[in-house]
Amino acid sequence: MDFGLVLQTDPPASRVVDLMQRAERNGFTHGWTFDSAVLWQEPFVIYSRILANTTTLTVGPMVTNPGTRTWEVTASTFATLNDMYGNRTVCGIGRGDSAMRVAGRTPNTLARISDAMKVIRTLASGGEADLGGGTVVRFPWIGPDARLPVWMAAYGPKALRMAGEEADGFILQLADLYLTEYMVKAVKDAAVAAGRDPAEVTVCVAAPAYVTADDSPEALAHAREQCRWFGGMVGNHVADLVSKYGADGSVVPHELTDYIKSRQGYDYSHHGRSGNPDTRFVPDEIVDRFCLIGPVEKHIEKLKALRALGVDQFAVYDMHDAQEAVIDAYGERIIPALAG
């Protein structure tokens, strides 16, 4: 199992670079960041510094979207970084929840994501792509070994099917064992139905991790408060699913939708941050299901269960008051236990 680190690009950018260097030293293989141009600093600028100050780390957004940048610009940015640093990027892509809504726009449709994935991957890998209206372009400067994997974030049934049919990887932003099994199966089944080898679709589960010294009520309560924001972030996507498919459990599992019944709006100025006042509705049970909290042994136990469900990478959302401590705990005790 591989491990990734997920950060917001809050200033100073030098701290983001430092934490990514720390992650690489501790055995992490991937460095991810949010991509929301209004809320945080521009990630692709910072990726250049991360790549220059690490040796093997692969970097990318979790996630970008096809609406805030034109597709040829996105592809060119990835291709330039790969040309400079040797194919060490991955394009995580989704609907653009915060990036689009904060800018007063509606998140992208699945059809738009599908078209964008094809164009971005093709251009960044050296091929020709139609930008619309019959305009076919190709980067004349790109090298023969260029490649760019595109991983798609998904929750709903249509998105899961599309991830299995078209994406190089599937990003699931929660670590609940039941929902992971349910959604990984949907993606893999779609891959098979599309004539693909399901093993070609890399599965990445991303969720907050908080390592406690023990499992005392006080330690667990603090960890939950540091990670409760995540249930609110996921709740934005779940609310969209409920508005589209309903909440009767016939299309989207109750295990994903029931907890947002008392949700009352969302202020993106607190997005992805511990102490987010708009996430008080998230119960402890959801924090425990969606995140990894507790002593080292609990993390290892849940990660082994995730690995058994077909998860190839666990990406640690590291937005809390113990960033360095979690990176080090994973490097010293948890990653070695999941090696091989």
Side-chain angles (χ1 to χ4, degrees):
M1 177 180 273
D2 286 335
F3 289 84
L5 181 71
V6 190
L7 300 173
Q8 294 165 333
T9 51
D10 289 314
S14 59
R15 175 163 172 77
V16 177
V17 176
D18 288 346
L19 288 171
M20 291 298 185
Q21 288 179 296
R22 192 184 197 106
E24 184 181 59
R25 290 196 300 270
N26 275 283
F28 288 75
T29 60
H30 287 68
W32 302 92
T33 73
F34 283 29
D35 178 18
S36 194
V38 175
L39 297 178
W40 298 287
Q41 292 185 328
E42 172 54 40
F44 287 94
V45 176
I46 300 172
Y47 295 157
S48 189
R49 294 294 299 164
I50 295 170
L51 290 166
N53 286 277
T54 56
T55 304
T56 60
L57 201 70
T58 295
V59 303
M62 190 176 281
V63 293
T64 193
N65 73 88
T68 53
R69 297 178 179 84
T70 62
W71 305 344
E72 71 272 19
V73 170
T74 300
S76 180
T77 304
F78 277 112
T80 301
L81 290 171
N82 283 338
D83 184 66
M84 293 171 68
Y85 299 106
N87 288 339
R88 289 171 56 200
T89 68
V90 56
C91 176
I93 195 167
R95 295 178 64 231
D97 173 48
S98 66
M100 296 296 284
R101 287 187 165 123
V102 169
R105 305 184 186 110
T106 302
N108 295 271
T109 64
L110 291 179
R112 185 171 173 83
I113 295 172
S114 175
D115 291 342
M117 286 200 300
K118 294 181 180 72
V119 169
I120 292 168
R121 181 198 291 118
T122 299
L123 287 178
S125 300
E128 292 184 343
D130 189 339
L131 299 180
T135 301
V136 177
V137 300
R138 181 175 189 164
F139 299 148
W141 47 267
I142 203 164
D145 298 323
R147 60 172 179 78
L148 177 68
V150 179
W151 296 8
M152 180 182 167
Y155 292 110
K158 292 182 180 178
L160 293 169
R161 184 169 64 249
M162 197 173 89
E165 291 172 347
E166 302 181 25
D168 301 301
F170 162 49
I171 297 172
L172 175 59
Q173 295 175 92
L174 54 79
D176 176 75
L177 295 179
Y178 172 80
L179 291 171
T180 297
E181 182 175 20
Y182 176 94
M183 294 185 185
V184 169
K185 183 179 185 303
V187 170
K188 298 287 190 178
D189 286 350
V192 172
R196 303 180 66 191
D197 179 352
E200 293 178 356
V201 185
T202 302
V203 176
C204 174
V205 161
Y210 199 99
V211 180
T212 60
D214 53 46
D215 57 0
S216 66
E218 296 79 12
L220 295 177
H222 179 76
R224 291 186 182 112
E225 289 310 312
Q226 289 296 306
C227 299
R228 198 175 305 277
W229 63 266
F230 183 67
M233 186 186 83
V234 174
N236 295 330
H237 303 284
V238 175
D240 286 344
L241 292 175
V242 169
S243 67
K244 183 173 183 178
Y245 297 107
D248 63 3
S250 62
V251 179
V252 182
H254 283 298
E255 289 82 357
L256 181 62
T257 61
D258 280 357
Y259 85 98
I260 70 162
K261 290 178 180 177
S262 58
R263 177 181 180 269
Q264 297 178 345
Y266 192 84
D267 181 352
Y268 281 92
S269 66
H270 307 289
H271 189 56
R273 301 190 186 281
S274 60
N276 185 336
D278 295 324
T279 62
R280 295 190 186 100
F281 74 92
V282 180
D284 288 352
E285 182 235 350
I286 287 295
V287 180
D288 292 348
R289 282 173 46 202
F290 284 14
C291 307
L292 274 74
I293 65 171
V296 162
E297 293 74 20
K298 292 294 184 181
H299 289 249
I300 294 172
E301 178 184 0
K302 191 166 187 178
L303 287 165
K304 286 183 176 179
L306 288 168
R307 184 175 63 181
L309 295 176
V311 175
D312 302 297
Q313 180 182 147
F314 178 65
V316 176
Y317 276 110
D318 204 26
M319 281 72 82
H320 46 57
D321 64 0
Q323 289 182 302
E324 289 90 349
V326 166
I327 293 170
D328 292 347
Y330 264 69
E332 293 166 7
R333 299 184 60 188
I334 297 172
I335 291 176
L338 275 293

